[in-house]
Amino acid sequence: MASTSISVSAAESPAFSFSASTFQKLHPVEFFRKFISQGVRPDGRLLEGFRPTTVHKNVVSTANGSAMVRIGGTTVICGVKAEVAEPKMDSPNQGYLVPNVELSPMCSSSFRPGPPSEQAQAVSEAINRVLKESKVLDLTDLCIEEGKAVWALWADVSCVSYDGNIYDAALLSVMTALSDVRIRKPTYNEGIIKVSGAEILDDENSFTLNLARTPLSATFSLFDSSMALLADANAAEEAICQGEISVTLDEKGQICALSKVGAASSSQTLLRQCIATARTRTDELRSIIRSQ
Amino acid sequence: MDRKRVPGPELTVPPLVEYALDQKRWSPQEECRHDANRQPEDLRPIYLKTGLISQASGSAYIELEKTKIACGVYGPRPIKKSGYGFSGTGTLNCEFKFATFACVKRRNHIRDPQERELSMILTQALTPAVRLELLPKSAIDVYITVLECDGLSSCFAAAITAASVALAHAGIEMIDLVAACSASYVIMDRTLSSAVPPPSTTSDSAPAAVSLRPPTIIMDADLEEEKFEEGSIMVAYMPSLNEVTHVLQNGKVDRSIVSQSVEHCIEACNKIYAVMRHALVESIDEKQTR
Amino acid sequence: MARLDTTRTSAHQLRPFSSSQNLLNRADGSAQFDFGGSSVLCSVVGPAEVKLRDEKLNKATLEVIVRPLVGLPGVKDKACERAIRETLEPIVISALHPRTLVQIVVQTMKDNGSILSTALNAAIMALLDAGIPLNSIIGSVTCIIDSKTNEILLDPTTEEIARAKSTHVFVFDNKSSIPSSTSASMDVDISNDDDGSPRPLFSESTGLFTEEEYLECVNISFKACQAVHGFIRTAVSKKIEKEHQQTQA
Amino acid sequence: MAPPVQNTPAEQQDGEQYESGLHVILPGDLLPPTQSQDSEDVVMAPVIKLGPGLQPMSDESIVAVKAGILQSTASANRWWVQSNQKRYVPSSGESVIGIVRGKTAEHYKLDIGAAHPALLGVMAFEGATKRNRPNHEASILGDLLYCRVALANKDMDPELECFNPTTGKADGYGGLEGGHVFKVSLGLARRLLDPKTLVLRLLGQHIPFETAVGINGRVWINSASASHTILVCNAIKNSEYLSPKECESMVKSLIQKM
Amino acid sequence: MKDTEPSKNEREFLLEALREGARIDGRKFYDFRTLRISFGSDYGAVEVQLGNTRILAKVSCEVIRPYADKPTEGFLSFSTEISPMASTVFEAGRQTDEEVLVSRMIEKAMRRSRALDTEGLCIIAGEKVWSIRVDIHFLDHDGNLADAACIAAITALMHFRRPDVTVVGEEVTVHPIEQRNPVPLSIHHIPISVTFALFDKGERMVVDPTYLEEQIMEGDLALTLNVHKEICALSKAGGMPLELEKVVQCSKIAAVKVQEITEQIEAALAADKKKR
């Protein structure tokens, strides 16, 4: 990769030449434009290429369900914890499913300590909306005693390493973790909820979630007014892209969410292209999940 | 009310866990450790790897069986906040955080007093090893996230170990690495019969059990073992200089036991040191092969 | 098929628009935009002094603040702020005012559905009122697909949204016809894909729907947005002429 | 302004025409390109200059960036969009009223209502020399100064001067003593620059007062008595959206109230 | 963004004018600016304009569980976060002194003076009560936010209707507004706040100060009364000392103003009722 970029930059400025990395620092956008115009990306990927992705279930035993997801340099861990809460007055038999994404200063220098950044909030909300509006889980399944007690599922995503495309990674981890959730069957008695402390959990003493569907996403960044599509952008690419198209699909190929923000207006050809690529990508992801 | 996160119910509690009478559960009376094939002085196998955080100056990931900790180091970078004026030496600040799902009871997103305290201790334990005098007006930030905690003091010791490896991986000048290890005092005695299972939250206050037999020093205790501990000790130590940077002891035990356990910890630290070196050498090799 | 909103006879009928500009004295520009029972007031300040922390050397900093009608702002509103900002960033010619702040505050006044669209329309009119340089104007509408009838309903009310199987928000600019040569930077046109079909500038869809349904929503909403453009043009023109005539000494 | 563009302007684009016959233009609207036959009629295609509110696009086309009325000089070689707004964006040569906010060895820092503070060199006064420092030494925070924008450029803080560069004389620039200052829209300020503006003329018939108008939307009024000044200020404020008739009656009623 | 100080000329002119018995906007010392009250389509939404100061108040309600120690007590809460829309002086999420003062004023005037009968909000003792929430949105700031907010809040509460409920034993049914006529809240009295800006060591006092007057005033005095001349709150936030008889004088003036404003509010409500 280094070699290509040097030649590119040299070609750019015959007068004086400097290393690819210097060129990238000085003119990040120009640096990228050179690559993009040749249909490749500095990390050697093609424009529509996704980074290697791995998924591991049940990685945290203190959580009822958990998953670790890696997409290139981005690593997230989702842990789902089931605790007991009082239901809302207007929905006495519904539990809670609360997703939150934490972008801590540990995972990238671009995040400051303190309350969640706008980005973290936006991603959390996006996942929250997908779970709610594509009806992933029937919240009445989480009822323990109507009007008295329900399960609250805290699906917290902790980003260990940030290198772009957090939405795809976070959603993938949340869905995998939810599919991994096992909750001990509760008994309700005068406001006290008890569960058995049995060592081995089976369908006798515990239950799993019955998920209506598994929405997974593919996100594309829009580079420059040429609206070049970069699949699964890394942090450096995100920094110089003006817009984003994100497609979320379930296993039946239904669209659960589709968003296009920033950059110039995008043709329907472009949108169709994204949806098509997203189909193949999410199918891959499903087989990755199954394979482990 | 947290306005910056997807809102959930104000209050949630873990359900009460009820154990069947006939259910067989580990307790020190069995005179073996929770993990029966571990001798009192045995540590859990350590998995230690550098460089999993792509954007960080240096990083390390450590695993002691269930315990999992990630650490990222950023810097040295210029101190953001003005008003501090000129500082001749750099500052090292550590932030220690449990992931919400890392412990038996769900942790809050906002740092609690315990996490603040541990952050402070972490700074104290690491600072002696870092040559801050070479880094005027700059700061090094060490961020630690515990992904799963199986035994508090052992987890904390592991955090120190991981942090010092991450610092080294960031290429920050240090006079030595800091290895840390913990030990718990547990009375392994039949006389302490009908051991009622203490509430699952017991991690700090040890059950006040009176006994004639002195407690056994068990190294690198896990959560189950901690539940029964009389007290515990954590030692942070610079192996090649043979200097201790921090000792954290709690609970009431005989002086002799303390000094003895310090010995044990230092021994253990030397074992851990080997693992740390190996991890760092590996990372250098990787750099070269790239 | 009758709508839940009985005031309307057809699925593609929008609620009556109304708007007024320059109704706040403190702000540099302001506008209120109504879709029937939904109303949003928007203020614009700028180009103004910017905090050093947010200063950009080559362009103006765009800040969007969204305030709900009931309760304190939460993650939902943050998500809206982001959507609005990222939609307006390519519209505002920020390169003309480097090292300055353009602050847009969005306040819901009445909420009966389609609030994000109402807000976006209010925002563009407030920007026009403030005289912030823009490379085009935008218009926004929301539509849903009814879960019972599978019909596409434009500009839905809260009640209708509650029965939606999917919700779609769209923004179109008024130069969809003109090839997009907006950005000051020179273009490297590799994905030359001007298929002549309506080109959404912003699109946010949630729920459950198919690709065909989505594209149909795009095309229906595009027509509706042209009506919005037309309205904005007339409203702004009328105001400008009024001012002008009143000053004929 | 924007660089001159080789083009001969055609007659106005036939967008919606209103009874007024005004051509209201909105951001994104294109200035019509030249029809070939026109250019043949024209002996030599003149360079047209773009004024406020118009920008040339990368593809040679000219697009409006502000909402307003498309205006052009009789010779049709200068085109601009006449629009009104509140926020001042400095442009050199304009007269503005500033409030002194700070002072360094070389500069006064003035608030002229723009995004950035404006700098007024301590030497930028009539007959100022190293030896004979201008009397404005005394000037301190909160003073009003009537100045001329000497340099305005989007990438630099604007610079002011307190004299007319052609004559080198003060020509009325300098400190504004006493009186009252208030904000109006930039459009109204521009109109008030003309002393024959209706509202000023009407008021002048009844009340003697001095005035200084800053293009930055600040108007300074001073008169014999506070009550007079107040009346004048409010009359001017109210006049903004009034037709000549309404304006006359408004002033009349105010005068009667006195 | 920081607040921009008025120029010396403005400061001196304003004081000079006051000494000549005039205010810059042509008002008399004890005149309020023109008060406009307009109602939204739904109950409990009120927009109040006091000159150029503009405020929207929106009342909403929900059923919640009461505190164990006050089983029959409903809830009344106010949100008075000042939006940057009112003025760039205010930053989103960062509280200014002004905001604190306004919210305290509202608290005192509305809650402490028990303007609203919170007992009347009980549905089932210890089980279900109404929680009434008033969101006050500051849209445009040309001085005297407190008085305007107070007017907006009480008017909104008087305009508001909550859904009717029927209780059969433990069963509570909340009837949507469309199905059954909603119920007004029971308001004990109408507290109105009148703020005086003080100049020249209290020699000169004006009511309903504009933004410029607020910037220049030496201190202020805020009185909250109702038509029965009961003082619900009185605050003299810092500034210069003030003789007692001045305070008495103010309360006399305030009483008159309260009368006027109350009548305006009631007229506006009556007019709106006719329309529905």
Side-chain angles (χ1 to χ4, degrees), chain D residues 30-51:
Chain D
L30 288 167
L31 228 62
T34 324
Q35 279 96 344
S36 49
Q37 65 272 30
D38 289 22
S39 41
E40 276 149 22
D41 308 347
V42 180
V43 183
M44 193 202 64
V47 172
I48 73 153
K49 294 207 169 52
L50 301 184

Side-chain angles (χ1 to χ4, degrees), chain C residues 230-245:
Chain C
F231 171 79
I232 292 176
R233 179 175 293 278
T234 324
V236 172
S237 308
K238 289 264 176 294
K239 171 187 168 250
I240 289 169
E241 284 163 5
K242 198 142 168 293
E243 278 177 17
H244 187 76
Q245 272 139 31

Side-chain angles (χ1 to χ4, degrees), chain B residues 231-277:
Chain B
S232 70
I233 188 162
M234 193 281 299
V235 177
Y237 171 77
M238 297 194 285
S240 34
L241 296 175
N242 185 21
E243 287 175 12
V244 169
T245 64
H246 208 287
V247 178
L248 193 64
Q249 139 84 34
N250 65 61
K252 172 174 147 298
V253 281
D254 186 280
R255 191 189 314 112
S256 61
I257 303 232
V258 174
S259 49
Q260 194 188 347
S261 50
V262 171
E263 298 293 313
H264 286 19
C265 285
I266 288 177
E267 247 170 72
C269 285
N270 285 314
K271 295 201 195 102
I272 296 168
Y273 180 55
V275 183
M276 298 165 79
R277 284 180 56 181

Side-chain angles (χ1 to χ4, degrees), chain D residues 88-99 110-114 118 144-150 158-162 172-174 176 181 186 193 212-219:
Chain D
Y88 180 60
V89 178
S91 142
S92 56
E94 294 181 335
S95 304
V96 296
I97 294 177
I99 306 172
L110 271 72
D111 156 18
I112 57 169
L144 283 181
L145 287 180
Y146 191 53
C147 332
R148 184 181 172 285
V149 178
E159 288 178 20
L160 306 172
E161 57 198 8
C162 261
Y173 292 115
L176 299 170
V181 69
L186 303 191
L193 273 185
V213 179
I215 285 291
N216 57 339
R218 293 204 181 126
V219 180

Side-chain angles (χ1 to χ4, degrees), chain A residues 225-229 266-270 273, chain C residues 179-180 187-196 199:
Chain A
S225 51
S226 64
M227 300 288 281
L229 269 188
S266 77
S267 72
Q268 296 186 17
T269 322
L270 202 65
Q273 190 187 332
Chain C
S180 61
D187 307 14
V188 228
D189 252 306
I190 40 174
S191 65
N192 190 352
D193 55 13
D194 202 358
D195 52 14
R199 306 163 62 95

Side-chain angles (χ1 to χ4, degrees), chain E residues 59-258:
Chain E
V59 182
S60 50
C61 66
E62 64 174 331
V63 177
I64 64 168
R65 189 172 264 95
Y67 289 134
D69 56 344
K70 295 203 191 94
T72 61
E73 186 94 3
F75 293 80
L76 172 63
S77 62
F78 297 88
S79 131
T80 49
E81 194 177 84
I82 304 187
S83 157
M85 181 178 274
S87 152
T88 48
V89 176
F90 306 104
E91 280 177 49
R94 192 167 288 114
Q95 221 188 22
T96 59
D97 305 358
E98 182 144 22
E99 190 175 318
V100 177
L101 289 176
V102 170
S103 65
R104 276 222 214 87
M105 201 286 282
I106 296 283
E107 281 290 310
K108 282 203 227 100
M110 300 289 159
R111 251 143 65 81
R112 305 265 192 77
S113 80
R114 311 197 103 300
L116 178 72
D117 164 23
T118 41
E119 295 275 336
L121 297 172
C122 178
I123 301 168
I124 301 175
E127 274 298 319
K128 291 183 165 69
V129 297
W130 285 107
S131 162
I132 306 294
R133 175 187 180 90
V134 187
D135 285 277
I136 299 174
H137 301 293
F138 299 84
L139 309 176
D140 206 349
H141 181 7
D142 188 21
N144 201 10
L145 291 178
D147 293 2
C150 187
I151 295 170
I154 191 66
T155 313
L157 283 167
M158 292 167 80
H159 186 257
F160 183 67
R161 302 282 186 274
R162 63 165 175 80
D164 196 2
V165 289
T166 46
V167 183
V168 184
E170 277 288 287
E171 260 325 298
V172 175
T173 26
V174 179
H175 306 285
I177 294 188
E178 303 73 39
Q179 290 172 18
R180 229 194 245 198
N181 282 348
V183 196
L185 305 172
S186 73
I187 308 283
H188 286 321
H189 63 100
I190 307 173
I192 300 293
S193 149
V194 177
T195 300
F196 293 78
L198 310 171
F199 301 89
D200 294 345
K201 314 217 164 16
E203 276 307 297
R204 282 156 199 85
M205 311 183 296
V206 304
V207 299
D208 180 25
T210 63
Y211 186 65
L212 182 62
E213 287 169 333
E214 280 183 351
Q215 282 183 300
I216 294 168
M217 71 188 178
E218 295 162 32
D220 67 351
L221 174 69
L223 290 137
T224 315
L225 296 79
N226 56 26
V227 280
H228 319 305
K229 301 202 167 45
E230 299 167 315
I231 295 187
C232 313
L234 186 159
S235 82
K236 158 107 188 40
M240 15 58 67
L242 192 65
E243 308 87 344
L244 193 59
E245 76 266 12
K246 283 277 177 205
V247 180
V248 177
Q249 183 195 348
C250 288
S251 62
K252 287 210 180 71
I253 299 160
V256 181
K257 295 291 139 194
V258 169

Side-chain angles (χ1 to χ4, degrees), chain B residues 110-160:
Chain B
I110 296 126
R111 280 208 297 165
D112 61 26
Q114 187 191 23
E115 288 166 326
R116 288 176 197 291
E117 188 197 355
L118 295 179
S119 305
M120 203 185 63
I121 299 170
L122 204 61
T123 318
Q124 295 167 348
L126 291 170
T127 309
V130 183
R131 298 195 59 194
L132 292 168
E133 68 277 11
L134 300 180
L135 307 166
K137 351 180 235 171
S138 42
I140 303 168
D141 297 298
V142 179
Y143 299 106
I144 285 144
T145 307
V146 177
L147 299 165
E148 183 171 356
C149 169
D150 185 11
L152 188 70
S153 41
S154 60
C155 162
F156 184 59
I160 295 175

